Amino acid sequence: MDFIAHIRESDKEIQSVEEHLLGVKKLAESYGEKIGVKHIAGLAGLLHDMGKFTLEFRTYILDAVNNPDNPPRRGSVDHSTAGGKLLFELYHNEPSPSLKWILAEVVGNVIISHHSYLHDFLNPDLESDYLKRVFEKDLKSYEEAKRNFFVNVVSEDRLRLYVGEALTELESFILKPSTESQESKLMFLTKFVFSTLIDADRTNTRLFEENKSIEPQLESTVLFQDYYEKMMNKISSFKEHKDANTTINLLRKQMSDRCEEFAMELPSIYKLSIPTGGGKTLASFRYALKHAMEFGKKRIICVVPYTTIIEQNALEIRKIIQDDTSLLEHHSNVIDDGNDDDEDIDGIVNKNQKLKLAKDNWDSPIIFTTMVQFLNVFYERGSRNIRRMHNLSESVIIFDEVQKVPVPCVSLFNCAVNFLKTYGRSTLILCTATQPTLDFVEHKLELEAEPEIINNLDHIIEEFTRVKIIDRATGESYTNEKLVHFVEEKIEEVGSVLVILNTKSVVRRLYELLSDYEDISIYHLSTAMCASHRNDILGKVREHLAREEKVVCISTQLIEAGVDVSFKCVIRSLAGLDSIAQAAGRCNRHGEWGIQYVYVIDHEEENLKHLKEIRIGKEISKKLLIDLKQDHNCHGGHVLSIDAMKQYFHRFYRELETNLNYPIAKLEKNMTELLFANRKDSSYYVANKHENGTALPLFIINSYRTAANHFQVIENYTTSVIAPYGEVGREIIAKLNGNETIENLTQLLRSSQQYTINLLPYEIQKLTQNDGLVCLFDGKVWALKESAYSDRFGVDIENESGFGDSFI
């Protein structure tokens, strides 16, 4: 009898369970080998679909094929528990905790979770969802599945030999020196192995569905050599520029050369502190290429705080490497799979299954993504996020504007970075003009003793002075009406003005007040616009700036970090000192106008009630400005000095100390407790005894799924929607509404990154009420109707933009 893993949609060809398990095992081994857990990952691949070795599942899948209009109920046959149950039965039978216990728990949880997300070993209700599956659940066909597995795939003796190899790897993994606790190590190991299984399973299934035998291997070494030569040609061309010998350009060259020199240092965690406008993007990419070639790294990943920086930095690098196919921009998750928690009719590839199989695993040699997406890989629910985790290993990862790590995520960020350094064999660069102090937490970064790449920072910062900060915040406040007059004054005086305010609503109102001026070009930028839309606006702004025409741009903070624009005047609403420094980087960026002015104002109409970090940052900055007004020599003598920044971050993190470990108010616990608590100290575990007084038969007692369910980098959980902006945006939505191949879906999902917008729950609710949304793939993908998107403001939740609006 043929036991069936999958039936191909096109020709009804059968993939046997044996073929699928051995194929997934081989792929998982190759992914796991990157961090020395080849056999642990392979074990998950070998056993994940053991439950398909039954007559019951064979009947189930054939019924689904033969009765597409009336298929059997999804999940009516459990095929993912059997492999985890086998491991528990064979290796969790000793009287006290051992390496075998740990292996059975790590791999067993991965197997039973591969259609949803990792289960809790012990949840806040003092129940073990893991034990319910592998120990308590009665699988009526379990013995049949086990018997057929040992006959068709591997004998029990050979399995034990393979497990022996996995146990050796596990011992080495646990004993590897690290500041992380054993519980932290096991959490990351479990998630890494889960990543290898999810990606291997979906890749093998996709290859079968596409009738392909192998996945092309990434030839990063050859690519990086080519990119490096193009990079050096670009840098050499700078010598011919008429301004090549200005102080700022000579400093840029000096710092870029230093990055190349430092690239020969051993992989670790380092700091790259380059002043705003110092050529950070090219210098860090030069470092990354040289280091990747020297130490055999597979990919270069740039992690930025905002999608606007992705757009610009990716374009800058793309122009140099001249290779569109090898650079991935990943702004957000277009597909929502966070609530998947069932046994699909696995084996039948319908339209929704194609979404799961589409490549979305960060396998490109160069990736630009956001801090939100980086943290989601480790901590957010949904298999699509964690699928990417194994591809973060053997990489050079550059964190641009690292001071923007969300405060509740500082400890979680540090732990993830430490794991990638110690186990993932990656090099990590903390890159910014305003280095934060990330040590005000229990879980600290494992930095080198001398982590700074750039020498003599005080001198460089002084030489890079192009602006003077004017304090208009400590003696008066501004309304939008008053600000209009100030903008009018400055536009007549210097010609180009950038206004950065803290809230979207105030930005929009100011734009509306200024938009009637006929002889001045007024532009508005907001996260309510998709990336492609913002790019078009920034392109027009740059054209005005290049022609030295009168232009005003009003924006939220999205423009202040990494966007290459240079205005003669910047007006910044009072916020954190790091934000003021970043805003200053948009003024006189290349020092072409001597010294120009950045005005810091206090805008009284901004409601910061729900923006705690901005509010606290504003309060601290105001106190520092008052100090400087009273004593010009304190805090290093000016508000952007290294001393002032250190003082700012010290006060900022101290003020938010209770938030640094991601508190979960509902559970009265921190995220770090759920993920890293040990058996001895856990109130959950100590309180949860059997009637006879013995503890639960568990070594790991952490709550992986509960933690993931409560994790949101952005405090209010957002939903990604695709905007019908321009012909391309509308075409993407139309094609996603069709029946595309997996290969075409992969390309469409990548293309849609430029057209996605993240909306808050109330915005989704309002758009739903006003019939402004289109539902695709049974609610896994959402798009805006054309009438719900405006070329002036972006998303229109009232759905009243009409079809008359032009789409550039």
Side-chain angles (χ1 to χ4, degrees), residues 444-493:
K444 294 178 172 56
L445 280 173
E446 296 176 1
L447 287 164
E448 291 297 296
E450 298 292 334
E452 184 58 67
I453 295 176
I454 303 298
N455 301 319
N456 202 6
L457 278 175
D458 281 317
H459 168 71
I460 289 173
I461 289 173
E462 184 177 340
E463 290 293 323
F464 251 86
T465 300
R466 296 151 296 165
V467 301
K468 183 176 181 180
I469 306 295
I470 306 298
D471 174 13
R472 291 279 185 95
T474 57
E476 59 183 319
S477 65
Y478 280 73
T479 62
N480 263 342
E481 284 72 16
K482 183 176 178 179
L483 187 52
V484 165
H485 296 302
F486 188 40
V487 171
E488 289 172 343
E489 175 189 327
K490 290 291 122 186
I491 200 70
E492 290 304 319
E493 184 180 319

Side-chain angles (χ1 to χ4, degrees), residues 228-426:
Y228 177 75
E229 290 172 5
K230 290 173 179 174
M231 164 69 78
M232 296 313 294
N233 288 336
K234 175 73 172 178
I235 290 172
S236 295
S237 72
F238 293 154
K239 299 175 185 176
E240 311 303 321
H241 196 277
K242 61 183 178 67
D243 297 324
N245 293 319
T246 63
T247 300
I248 284 180
N249 281 328
L250 288 173
L251 281 172
R252 286 171 176 157
K253 180 182 183 302
Q254 177 186 324
M255 290 186 288
S256 177
D257 291 346
R258 173 62 179 163
C259 285
E260 165 125 0
E261 175 189 328
F262 200 87
M264 306 305 287
E265 296 291 328
L266 291 172
S268 190
I269 306 171
Y270 299 107
K271 292 181 177 182
L272 177 58
S273 301
I274 290 183
T276 303
K280 200 161 62 252
T281 301
L282 292 188
S284 60
F285 192 64
R286 181 180 178 182
Y287 167 90
L289 287 171
K290 186 73 173 179
H291 187 81
M293 290 188 298
E294 179 67 22
F295 293 98
K297 303 305 179 188
K298 300 294 191 298
R299 51 186 52 81
I300 296 168
I301 303 169
C302 300
V303 181
V304 302
Y306 309 122
T307 56
T308 43
I309 309 176
I310 291 181
E311 298 144 27
Q312 175 186 285
N313 290 7
L315 179 62
E316 191 172 355
I317 298 304
R318 198 177 267 118
K319 285 179 180 176
I320 293 171
I321 67 174
Q322 299 167 30
D323 183 359
D324 282 341
T325 61
S326 298
L327 188 153
L328 170 67
E329 292 181 51
H330 189 267
H331 298 241
S332 58
N333 283 345
V334 178
I335 302 167
D336 179 13
D337 70 347
N339 294 317
D340 281 1
D341 190 11
D342 57 51
E343 298 268 326
D344 285 337
I345 302 179
D346 187 19
I348 306 300
V349 178
N350 55 30
K351 186 177 179 181
N352 286 349
Q353 283 287 88
K354 289 179 184 178
L355 278 182
K356 283 190 174 182
L357 300 181
K359 286 180 71 174
D360 193 7
N361 59 352
W362 288 4
D363 64 343
S364 300
I366 300 177
I367 298 163
F368 281 82
T369 191
T370 65
M371 180 62 71
V372 170
Q373 297 306 321
F374 173 80
L375 290 167
N376 280 350
V377 167
F378 293 93
Y379 303 112
E380 170 75 312
R381 65 178 182 260
S383 55
R384 185 168 297 276
N385 293 305
I386 203 168
R387 178 183 181 182
R388 304 165 183 140
M389 182 178 172
H390 73 89
N391 277 330
L392 292 174
S393 59
E394 297 184 320
S395 299
V396 182
I397 307 179
I398 299 165
F399 296 98
D400 198 4
E401 313 299 351
V402 73
Q403 78 280 359
K404 297 294 185 182
V405 175
V407 168
C409 300
V410 169
S411 282
L412 298 176
F413 172 81
N414 288 353
C415 290
V417 168
N418 289 343
F419 168 77
L420 290 172
K421 170 208 167 186
T422 304
Y423 293 98
R425 301 171 183 169
S426 290

Side-chain angles (χ1 to χ4, degrees), residues 74 122 202 255 325 403 435 438 488 492 521 532 542 637 724 767:
R74 292 172 68 185
L122 192 62
R202 293 184 181 181
M255 290 186 288
T325 61
Q403 78 280 359
Q435 285 286 354
L438 299 177
E488 289 172 343
E492 290 304 319
S521 298
S532 181
R542 289 188 182 105
L767 280 163

